[in-house]
Amino acid sequence: MAYLRSFSIIFLCLLAGKAFQHLTGIAIPGSIIGMLLLFFTLAIGAVPPRWAKEGCNLLIRHMALLFVPVGVGLINYLDLISANTLPILFSTIGSSLVVFIVIGLATHYKEKQ
């Protein structure tokens, strides 16, 4: 019963996020909006964390398996990826550097206090 309740909560947040994205036409994927919605409902206490725990633990435990379809789907766009290798490489390195700098500065600031 815990899995059913947990997956129902996760699925309802996903549906709400996709509906919001569809109605507003915002460029953020509905799944991301749904994940943020789940986070906020858990953070404010509208949904007790123990209600979502079982399903979340199961999905996290099998997360590597959930990336297989995405990896296989990339094969369909191999020509597009190879044509844009440099922009992909530069954006990956650039965004990683930004993340490293922000985390370093945040850690430095936090340690000074």
Side-chain angles (χ1 to χ4, degrees):
M1 191 64 166
Y3 284 114
L4 181 62
R5 178 178 53 203
S6 180
F7 283 123
S8 296
I9 292 169
I10 295 168
F11 190 66
L12 286 173
C13 288
L14 173 67
L15 285 178
K18 286 189 173 277
F20 181 80
Q21 192 273 333
H22 179 73
L23 292 173
T24 61
I26 194 167
I28 301 171
S31 57
I32 301 297
I33 297 170
M35 187 168 47
L36 289 172
L37 179 64
L38 177 63
F39 171 75
F40 286 121
T41 57
L42 290 169
I44 65 172
V47 173
R50 61 184 165 81
W51 285 7
K53 184 177 180 180
E54 294 297 324
C56 292
N57 284 340
L58 182 68
L59 290 173
I60 289 171
R61 191 170 39 241
H62 299 291
M63 188 183 298
L65 183 64
L66 299 174
F67 282 104
V68 171
V70 175
V72 171
L74 284 175
I75 293 173
N76 292 333
Y77 300 101
L78 204 53
D79 55 339
L80 183 64
I81 292 171
S82 62
N84 295 301
T85 302
L86 284 178
I88 292 171
L89 183 66
F90 288 142
S91 65
T92 302
I93 291 171
S95 62
S96 296
L97 286 175
V98 168
V99 168
F100 292 150
I101 290 169
V102 168
I103 290 174
L105 290 173
T107 304
H108 181 72
Y109 175 75
K110 180 73 175 159
E111 291 297 320
K112 274 187 160 181
Q113 291 180 347

